[in-house]
């Protein structure tokens, strides 16, 4: 099995690309704040022009799948994606094929 890890900046990039696609803006126009708590799990707030949209764990996985397809040119459907809160690296995504 092949394994890769997306570091926190790549997870942010994935959410920016995902959000930009649906808001019809450039990814550079999107600001993302990642969060984790025991009750909600992995969440994020994405901002464009002062408007905030909320993302839950399912949205994270969907955004990462799009990132895998479009940026890494890999098949995301067969990928196993696990989000993790790493002490030094922040929120990361471990991916296996």
């Amino acid at each position: 099995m092949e394994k890769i890890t997306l570091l926190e900046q790549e997870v942010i990039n994935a959410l920016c690309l995902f959000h930009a696609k649906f808001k019809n803006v450039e990814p550079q126009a999107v600001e993302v704040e990642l969060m984790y708590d025991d009750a909600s799990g992995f969440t994020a707030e994405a901002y464009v022009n002062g408007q905030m949209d909320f993302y839950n764990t399912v949205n994270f996985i969907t955004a990462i799948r799009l990132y895998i397809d479009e940026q890494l040119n890999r098949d995301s459907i067969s990928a196993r994606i696990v989000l993790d809160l790493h002490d030094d690296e922040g929120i990361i995504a471990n991916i296996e094929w």
Side-chain angles (χ1 to χ4, degrees):
M1 269 193 180
E2 183 182 354
K3 298 179 183 181
I4 64 169
T5 299
L6 297 183
L7 299 177
E8 186 168 86
Q9 186 59 56
E10 291 171 293
V11 172
I12 291 170
N13 291 349
L15 285 162
C16 286
L17 288 168
F18 183 79
H19 193 69
K21 187 172 210 121
F22 292 102
K23 292 294 184 178
N24 201 27
V25 297
E26 293 295 318
Q28 298 85 348
V30 180
E31 292 182 35
V32 171
E33 182 178 344
L34 304 180
M35 296 166 278
Y36 175 83
D37 71 50
D38 291 333
S40 301
F42 296 95
T43 59
E45 294 176 350
Y47 297 88
V48 173
N49 297 324
Q51 180 183 5
M52 188 272 289
D53 288 291
F54 181 79
Y55 286 90
N56 60 23
T57 303
V58 173
N59 301 129
F60 263 76
I61 300 299
T62 304
I64 291 169
R65 286 196 188 282
L66 181 68
Y67 185 83
I68 291 169
D69 288 338
E70 293 186 355
Q71 301 300 310
L72 303 180
N73 297 315
R74 299 288 306 267
D75 176 24
S76 68
I77 299 302
S78 62
R80 178 177 178 255
I81 302 169
V82 178
L83 296 172
D84 189 25
L85 183 59
H86 191 271
D87 289 338
D88 297 327
E89 302 295 333
I91 295 174
I92 61 172
N94 293 305
I95 304 166
E96 296 179 359
W97 283 271

